[in-house]
């Protein structure tokens, strides 16, 4: 496991970080996003989707649990499991998501699916600070996610 921390001071900076991060995505990546409501998780997902060239802009998936965004070459699954327990998530179609090697999975409130997905994942914990500032703690678990951690750290230094 590798770890790092990044600080953003505005919504725009979080969106820019997400856009730079999206350029490192090749498909098959899994990212867990945690943090309190309003911490910037969905803002980050919006930035990733926009940079991937997906026409629809993600909104909180809290009430639909999972949303899929795609174009001719890219596919993004945005999962939000805020209100679910582990036993309630078996019929969400994880098998299909994992079979698509070109898809990226971004999961907010991921604890109910932690043991259902491959171990190689990037975990991002969004911590609110004063004003619009937030600290994003990163932990990578595997080769693919370590490359993503490095891409985020490089993007944060721009």
């Amino acid at each position: 496991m590798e770890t790092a921390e990044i600080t953003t001071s505005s919504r725009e900076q979080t969106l820019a970080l997400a856009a730079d991060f999206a350029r490192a995505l090749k498909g098959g990546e899994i990212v867990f996003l945690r943090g309190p409501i309003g911490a910037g998780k969905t803002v980050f997902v919006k930035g990733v989707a926009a940079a991937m060239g997906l026409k629809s802009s993600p909104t909180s998936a809290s009430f639909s649990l999972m949303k899929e965004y795609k174009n001719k070459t890219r596919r993004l699954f945005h999962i939000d499991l805020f209100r679910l327990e582990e036993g309630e998530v078996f019929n969400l179609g994880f098998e299909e998501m994992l079979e698509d090697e070109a898809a990226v999975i971004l999961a907010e409130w991921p604890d109910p699916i932690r043991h259902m997905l491959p171990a190689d994942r990037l975990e991002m914990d969004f911590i609110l600070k004063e004003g619009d500032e937030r600290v994003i703690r990163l932990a990578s678990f595997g080769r693919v996610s370590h490359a993503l951690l490095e891409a985020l750290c490089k993007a944060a230094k721009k």
Side-chain angles (χ1 to χ4, degrees):
M1 176 177 74
E2 299 289 329
T3 62
E5 277 190 3
I6 295 171
T7 300
T8 62
S9 57
S10 68
R11 173 183 168 85
E12 293 73 24
Q13 195 174 21
T14 301
L15 286 168
L17 179 68
D20 286 339
F21 173 72
R23 291 187 244 306
L25 297 171
K26 295 175 177 67
E29 296 91 353
I30 300 169
V31 181
F32 287 179
L33 300 103
R34 290 191 199 86
I37 293 171
K41 299 178 301 295
T42 302
V43 168
F44 189 84
V45 173
K46 285 177 182 281
V48 169
M52 288 176 69
L54 305 175
K55 292 182 181 180
S56 298
S57 179
T59 58
S60 177
S62 292
F63 295 104
S64 63
L65 304 180
M66 181 182 70
K67 292 187 178 181
E68 177 184 355
Y69 303 93
K70 62 183 177 178
N71 61 23
K72 291 180 181 178
T73 60
R74 308 296 303 266
R75 191 172 184 188
L76 170 69
F77 290 103
H78 179 208
I79 305 166
D80 189 325
L81 304 173
F82 178 61
R83 293 177 175 81
L84 295 184
E85 300 294 326
E86 188 170 340
E88 299 175 301
V89 298
F90 289 106
N91 295 320
L92 289 179
F94 293 119
E95 297 83 15
E96 176 187 310
M97 286 183 251
L98 295 172
E99 287 173 6
D100 185 347
E101 294 177 3
V104 174
I105 299 171
L106 301 180
E108 296 187 43
W109 308 93
D111 289 335
I113 59 170
R114 172 182 218 98
H115 303 294
M116 296 176 190
L117 297 178
D120 193 332
R121 68 190 179 278
L122 178 66
E123 296 188 3
M124 302 177 69
D125 290 293
F126 289 70
I127 301 153
L128 290 169
K129 296 294 184 179
E130 303 251 342
D132 288 333
E133 185 176 310
R134 60 214 0 90
V135 171
I136 305 170
R137 288 196 181 128
L138 309 168
S140 63
F141 296 86
R143 182 185 52 78
V144 171
S145 61
H146 181 67
L148 294 178
L149 182 143
E150 289 180 341
L152 268 169
C153 290
K154 183 178 178 182
K157 292 178 183 176
K158 283 186 173 182

